[in-house]
Amino acid sequence: MPGRTDAEIRRTGAAGGRPARVPHTSRRQLLAASTAAGLGLLTACAGTSSRADSASRASPPGGPGSSSPSGPSGSAPSGPTKRRRPELPRGGRELFPRYRLVGFCGLPGAAALGRLGTGDPKRRAAEAEKVAHSYAAGREPLPALELLATVANSSAGPDGMYRSRTPDATIRRFHRVARDRRGLLLLNIQPGRARVLDEVKALRDWLVHPDVGIALDPEWEMGRGEVPGDTYGHTDGHELTEVARYLSGLVEAHDLPQKPLVFHQVATSVVSKQSALRPQPGVALIKSADGIGSPGLKRGTWHKLVDDLPDGLHTGFKLFYEEDAEGSRLMTPKEVLALRPQPEYVMYE
């Protein structure tokens, strides 16, 4: 008997437990197949993708790597100057409660992986900002582009890590698009069998910018003997705290504004030992409720996943333009904002 489709697994996964094998027609296999087919966007695997580009090449004005101000002739100014502390794209140094983050996720050339993967990135960013304004509800909308930076594969690759890394040229392109829109760029990590913190550290040159954060997809974090697309992966509160601690160190070292750390969760089994999660200075921890289905099913998933939230944890909500509408309809912004606690981060795939 064939396994359940990805949509079926995502609908029922919130109750916990491990799903059956996923058939090749599912969106999870489309992800692996698109990578294996060679979209011309992903590198082969670990060690083949350089993250060593100079931070100054992609730095926004006033961000790390920017040059010192100069006088009219190009020489240094005569008097002492006060360095302006880096801020978030639309001002300030704290994300919450001032802002609500709303946007699209995906990978260019891979329509099955999200809205961000189709069409011109600038047009998608403009669309994301329009959607973000529909979620304002007393807060300032802050558009967010969630780009897949590490993508889980169904094949092991040269290093056996079952993942590929998105080239710096692609990340740079989307960083510029986000910056031009005065939005955030979130780098999504689907680690395969790679160590999550290693994948985060590989993105350091991007993370020293004040407008770049991290999104983790632990359903693609595989243990020994597990293959992406066959079963849900998992993480725990200790590992999430380890990543938050690393980001906190970057924030302190570079005097950065608060940095978002999102982790998507489709089932209770995907994140264990949540009580071990410890907020870190300068890092906004956001638990994003994943899961496909009708508005009623998504509300049920939400209530299971936000029950007994640890202190200091913010909430997010994910919607799927196509899968949620299959046999039902997409939830409206009004319905999403009616959830309690009210989501502070909303992402469309």
Side-chain angles (χ1 to χ4, degrees), residues 191 194-197 216 218 221 234-245 261 272 276-277:
R195 187 166 176 255
V196 172
L197 188 58
L216 303 178
E221 182 178 344
H234 61 279
T235 187
D236 62 33
H238 296 292
E239 183 173 60
L240 293 173
T241 298
E242 187 179 35
V243 173
R245 190 173 292 120
L261 171 56
S272 62
L277 189 55

Side-chain angles (χ1 to χ4, degrees), residues 68-240:
S68 300
S70 59
S73 63
S75 59
S78 56
T81 58
K82 184 177 180 181
R83 176 180 175 273
R84 183 177 178 181
R85 301 180 75 189
E87 293 188 345
L88 293 165
R90 303 195 174 196
R93 289 174 56 85
E94 299 287 328
L95 285 167
F96 305 121
R98 176 175 174 178
Y99 295 107
R100 193 183 317 278
L101 280 56
V102 182
F104 298 156
C105 68
L107 181 69
L113 305 186
R115 190 77 159 188
L116 204 58
T118 62
D120 177 66
K122 291 183 179 179
R123 292 185 65 180
R124 283 290 172 257
E127 183 183 356
E129 177 158 16
K130 184 177 180 180
V131 173
H133 278 280
S134 67
Y135 281 93
R139 294 197 182 194
E140 294 183 43
L142 181 55
L145 305 182
E146 188 173 314
L147 177 70
L148 274 67
T150 301
V151 186
N153 296 341
S154 60
S155 57
D159 62 359
M161 293 298 178
Y162 288 86
R163 61 89 176 90
S164 297
R165 291 173 175 173
T166 300
D168 281 315
T170 303
I171 296 177
R172 184 177 299 108
R173 180 187 183 194
F174 278 83
H175 185 209
R176 287 171 177 164
V177 169
R179 186 176 59 195
D180 289 346
R181 188 55 61 174
R182 295 172 62 220
L184 289 174
L185 176 66
L186 301 181
L187 299 177
N188 180 290
I189 294 175
Q190 301 176 347
R193 290 190 193 174
R195 187 166 176 255
V196 172
L197 188 58
D198 289 343
E199 297 305 302
V200 174
K201 288 181 176 180
L203 295 164
R204 181 192 178 281
D205 287 346
W206 301 105
L207 293 171
V208 296
H209 296 299
D211 53 357
V212 180
I214 286 288
L216 303 178
D217 236 334
E219 71 171 283
W220 299 99
E221 182 178 344
M222 301 291 114
R224 182 177 300 178
E226 295 178 340
V227 175
D230 282 354
T231 185
Y232 283 146
H234 61 279
T235 187
D236 62 33
H238 296 292
E239 183 173 60
L240 293 173

Side-chain angles (χ1 to χ4, degrees), residues 299-330:
R299 289 189 192 96
T301 298
W302 169 264
H303 292 305
K304 288 184 175 70
L305 294 179
V306 302
D307 187 38
D308 295 326
L309 283 176
D311 292 338
L313 197 59
H314 303 273
T315 56
F317 196 71
K318 195 169 185 179
L319 299 111
F320 297 80
Y321 275 114
E322 294 185 6
E323 291 96 329
D324 282 351
E326 289 179 2
S328 184
R329 62 175 178 80
L330 192 68

